[in-house]
Amino acid sequence: MTNPPPSNLFYQTRLRRPMLARGEGVYLWDSEGRRYLDGSSGAMVSNIGHSNPAVLAAMRRQMELSTFGYRLHFENEPAEALATRIAERMPEGLDRVFFVSGGSEAVESCLKLARQYAVARGEGQRWKVISRFPSYHGSTLGALAVTGMSLMSAPFAPMLREMPKIPAPTCYLDRDGLSLEERGLRYARMLREEILAQGPETVLAFIMEPVGGASTGALVAPDSYYAEIRAICDEFGILLISDEVMSGAGRTGRYLAGEHWGLRPDLVALSKGFGAGYVPLGAMVADRTIAETVIDAGGFVHGHTYAGNPLACAAGLAVLDEIDRQDLIAAAARQGAALKDRLQGLMARYPFIGDVRGKGLLLAFELVADVETMAPLPVGLNAHLRLVDIAYDAGLIIYSRRTRGGRIGDHFLVCPPLIVSDSEIDEIMDKLDRALATFAAEAGLPVGAPS
């Protein structure tokens, strides 16, 4: 790879990557002709793959009609149609849709609507939003206040009103002799303890990802966790906000990840796979009672210039059509099960893989120094960066984060587009196997014989 030329773009770090030339299906090509298999769908965004002809055609048709109409001046058909289609996929009663341009905006909208609902009901003392640690809910200041990742929030601490946190249900790390069901209940009941500690009359909402995203690496709680969380929220009259930005839009094998457990939230945040990388698009979906109460009290004091943009919503409709036409939600469940089985198969050859987890095609594996204690690898190895670079050089894109609050631990998300074929899963596994072997050799880690 040649060094890229100087740029006036403000890059987040000194790391530079090749220039993107084009994308098709599960592949991306750089300007020098190298092909990469997009094994993480970007940042878990490109659910239907790249350059889908039907979506591009729908966008062209809408471009011929209008690309922008301000929401306070006009309604538009794509936004109305997409809102109807999304409401049909939601749990009963969640049928008021507010469009935004991304996940942080979707979460911010949920927080603001929840607060305005409390005020409209004469419960102005409710303002605290409990979340989990680790967690990630966005990079705007409001979303960052409920994000449990100190490396991200620390620089802005004087500007934030930090919200209370409870531990994420990282049961795979526990060595307590409890059953999974008992662990799920124990973690859920930490919410009840925190509500009581904060003062129930001051707590507005609890926000969580039904299946963890970047911060916890596709973390799935025991089944007992979800119903108990809902019951605790109901006990104290607290709203449940489901952050489905990464887990929604079919990626886990259901349209919403919470459907796996019959979870009925009060507010849902959607983005990423919702627009599938074709346009910046997200949505807040609200319980109609919450929305109507706020409207009757004077209206929702919130908004963004591009909310309900007709071009974005036309693309969102076409993405939804492709999910249905190709039966991609079922494909996510089927191919996800196959890929997870293959990832688990690597654990015998690479004893430093301590856990494989996730649902559907939201999957991750975590590297550790000791599988018995789950002690993380030494921080100095920078495994979360080095393995990604090795795989990238081999033509495979995966996504990584520090596992335990952003400071230690190494997990890797393997989340290809929902269109991934059997042969493409073979390619992912071949490249990943070789990347792990290279990393192990560099780091002096043990490797078993190939299976």
Side-chain angles (χ1 to χ4, degrees), residues 44 132-137 147-149 166-173 208-221 225-226 243 246-247 355-358 362-366 399-406 408-413:
M44 285 57 74
R132 307 192 303 198
F133 188 91
S135 65
Y136 178 73
H137 297 291
T147 286
M149 194 174 292
I166 62 172
T170 52
C171 298
Y172 71 99
L173 297 175
M208 71 173 191
E209 294 175 292
V211 175
S215 64
T216 54
L219 181 69
V220 181
Y225 182 83
Y226 299 89
D243 182 346
M246 190 175 290
S247 59
D355 192 50
V356 173
R357 53 186 178 263
L362 181 51
L363 299 171
F365 63 93
E366 182 170 343
Y399 193 97
S400 71
R401 281 292 183 270
R402 288 288 197 197
T403 302
R404 306 179 196 183
I408 60 173
D410 308 275
H411 68 245
F412 303 84
L413 287 143

Side-chain angles (χ1 to χ4, degrees), residues 171-173 175 343-344 346-357 364-377 403-404 410-412 436 445:
C171 298
Y172 71 99
L173 297 175
R175 300 293 183 268
L343 291 171
Q344 288 172 330
L346 291 174
M347 297 176 78
R349 175 162 160 76
Y350 301 103
F352 52 90
I353 299 178
D355 192 50
V356 173
R357 53 186 178 263
F365 63 93
E366 182 170 343
L367 304 187
V368 297
D370 187 319
V371 295
E372 296 301 321
T373 65
M374 295 299 284
L377 288 173
T403 302
R404 306 179 196 183
D410 308 275
H411 68 245
F412 303 84
L436 284 163
L445 296 172

Side-chain angles (χ1 to χ4, degrees), residues 74-94:
F74 294 97
E75 298 178 5
N76 69 79
E77 289 185 6
E80 293 290 335
L82 183 56
T84 297
R85 294 275 299 279
I86 292 303
E88 291 170 352
R89 284 168 158 72
M90 295 294 114
E92 178 65 28
L94 271 75

